Amino acid sequence: MTQKSILISGAGIAGATAAFWLSRSGWNVTIVEKAAQIRSSGNPIDVRGQAASIVHQMGLWPEIQRFATGVNSLVIVDAQGRRRATVTTRTTPDPQKEVEVARATLASVLLQAATTDAELIVSDSISGIGQDVGGVDVDFTSGRSRRFDIVLGADGLHSNVRRLVFGPGGSFSRPFGMFVGTMRTTLEGGDASEVMMFNRPNISLSVHAAGGDPLAAFIFRSRDRYDRHDAEARKHLVTSAYSDQGWQTNEAVAEWCASDDVYFDEVTRIAMPSWSRGRIGLLGDAANCISLLGEGSSSAIVAAKTLSDALAAHPNDHAAAFTSYEAVHRRRLRALQRFAGASSHFLVPTSRLGLWLRNSGLALVSGRRR
């Protein structure tokens, strides 16, 4: 029997996890990644719950634990840098059930494990795609063409596969009216176990110790529109929102404008009636974006395992595999999607009253725990 082939567009967390499991269930896996290397910016993320169990099954938990940030608390500060409240960021003290790690590190560990069996193509992407009853023909920007049994788009919020197969992204995007920007920073934070966060209504600036390689994160509300390819536009958005707001906002804006390694995007929910069309399916942020508190990466790991299991169970029936995957994972997403709205108001209150109520509640909780 000829080994079935699958192309995964995107070498991030979802794509690498899917490649790992599909290779082990007998698929001939190829990963194509547009970038030459993984971006170093991006907030640290939590791996917990079912995702932690999956990483244990992959045998990668000890490796990921080596890079744990060690952060376990969030400290709210005022404009003068005075501590107003402290709250734990961990859901369990058991280091075998939860770990926080840099996004780039997690992606690298997963990809290294996946590519022991899967083929990896970097600095290339899909330029054209067409399918028939027997397979999928793919053209690459490098000029090559190949044929696969299945294609998966795990290429993020601005998925190229989704655009080529399902249509323009605006058809499925539901903006939150918020933006997120992250960068490496020299700003002073707390100790190695703390994230420091400062707010004004509609803005948040945090400094994360990140295991000795600190990160700053801007999360803010804005009705402005921007071209995501325009670096000057993103500088203007951050500058106009944060200048002269207190704490270390001016220093953060100066670093932001000088940095050439940043992440910046609009917080968006992708809402699609279906995550597959024929032999082509979507995975991770390409199919859905659901969280502001780091649950998206754990969700991507779980989704990748669910889809891989479904394709292993139905190797000759892609329609049944995609239907099974989607039915199972959509149920998981409902609670996370409902939580996304609440988490946005926790991170970025919209008024002075909302900010005072959040800080007062956190101060009360942290006082009780002392």
Side-chain angles (χ1 to χ4, degrees):
M1 182 179 295
T2 303
Q3 188 179 28
K4 288 189 173 294
S5 61
I6 189 163
L7 173 67
I8 300 173
S9 177
I13 291 167
T17 304
F20 178 95
W21 289 107
L22 286 165
S23 293
R24 279 151 183 76
S25 63
W27 287 80
N28 183 0
V29 180
T30 299
I31 308 168
V32 61
E33 169 56 47
K34 183 177 181 179
Q37 60 186 13
I38 296 173
R39 189 186 65 245
S40 64
S41 54
N43 270 338
I45 52 181
D46 296 305
V47 181
R48 55 191 174 204
Q50 192 173 353
S53 177
I54 292 167
V55 174
H56 275 288
Q57 293 173 49
M58 297 170 78
L60 300 178
W61 194 259
E63 179 71 5
I64 289 175
Q65 275 193 312
R66 288 202 310 115
F67 299 103
T69 65
V71 168
N72 56 35
S73 61
L74 171 68
V75 179
I76 306 296
V77 299
D78 64 16
Q80 288 72 46
R82 295 173 297 199
R83 296 169 177 243
R84 292 304 187 187
T86 303
V87 63
T88 181
T89 58
R90 305 267 60 86
T91 62
T92 173
D94 189 343
Q96 296 302 311
K97 294 183 178 179
E98 181 176 350
V99 66
E100 185 189 65
V101 65
R103 181 184 297 274
T105 298
L106 176 60
S108 294
V109 170
L110 292 170
L111 185 60
Q112 183 175 3
T115 52
T116 58
D117 296 302
E119 175 190 10
L120 175 63
I121 302 170
V122 297
S123 302
D124 205 353
S125 61
I126 297 173
S127 59
I129 190 166
Q131 61 178 313
D132 54 41
V133 294
V136 186
D137 294 308
V138 177
D139 296 325
F140 296 92
T141 55
S142 62
R144 293 178 293 182
S145 297
R146 290 174 61 177
R147 186 170 173 84
F148 301 88
D149 291 296
I150 298 289
V151 172
L152 298 180
D155 44 352
L157 173 62
H158 304 288
S159 170
N160 186 44
V161 172
R162 188 182 65 231
R163 178 183 62 82
L164 290 170
V165 177
F166 295 86
S171 304
F172 312 110
S173 299
R174 306 291 184 269
F176 261 63
M178 299 177 69
F179 293 88
V180 175
T182 61
M183 64 178 180
R184 298 292 175 189
T185 186
T186 62
L187 298 180
E188 294 184 6
D191 65 30
S193 67
E194 296 176 332
V195 179
M196 312 295 284
M197 187 167 74
F198 166 72
N199 290 92
R200 295 286 195 194
N202 295 316
I203 71 167
S204 165
L205 172 64
S206 61
V207 177
H208 192 300
D213 197 6
L215 287 163
F218 305 90
I219 306 178
F220 61 102
R221 300 180 189 275
S222 175
R223 296 183 181 276
D224 291 342
R225 314 309 304 165
Y226 90 113
D227 178 352
R228 67 188 182 90
H229 301 292
D230 186 342
E232 292 305 313
R234 75 178 179 230
K235 289 178 182 179
H236 172 74
L237 277 170
V238 171
T239 300
S240 61
Y242 284 86
S243 292
D244 299 323
Q245 291 298 312
W247 194 43
Q248 301 184 87
T249 54
N250 285 343
E251 294 86 348
V253 167
E255 286 195 357
W256 176 261
C257 291
S259 178
D260 59 2
D261 181 15
V262 302
Y263 167 82
F264 188 77
D265 215 331
E266 187 169 14
V267 180
T268 305
R269 176 179 293 162
I270 299 299
M272 302 186 68
S274 175
W275 297 337
S276 65
R277 182 164 292 176
R279 293 176 170 271
I280 303 165
L282 299 176
L283 180 63
D285 283 351
N288 55 84
C289 294
I290 46 83
S291 180
L292 287 171
L293 288 177
E295 296 293 341
S297 296
S298 282
S299 177
I301 291 171
V302 175
K305 181 64 162 63
T306 301
L307 178 53
S308 300
D309 288 347
L311 286 167
H314 305 281
N316 299 308
D317 190 346
H318 56 274
F322 285 137
T323 298
S324 173
Y325 147 67
E326 190 165 335
V328 171
H329 197 59
R330 278 192 188 273
R331 286 197 297 270
R332 297 192 189 106
L333 289 177
R334 291 187 188 114
L336 292 175
Q337 288 171 338
R338 288 194 295 269
F339 186 60
S343 68
S344 73
H345 286 282
F346 172 84
L347 288 171
V348 190
T350 58
S351 66
R352 291 186 180 277
L353 176 60
L355 187 56
W356 180 84
L357 288 171
R358 185 206 65 183
N359 290 352
S360 298
L362 290 178
L364 180 62
V365 170
S366 60
R368 284 176 177 173
R369 288 178 175 170
R370 291 195 184 102

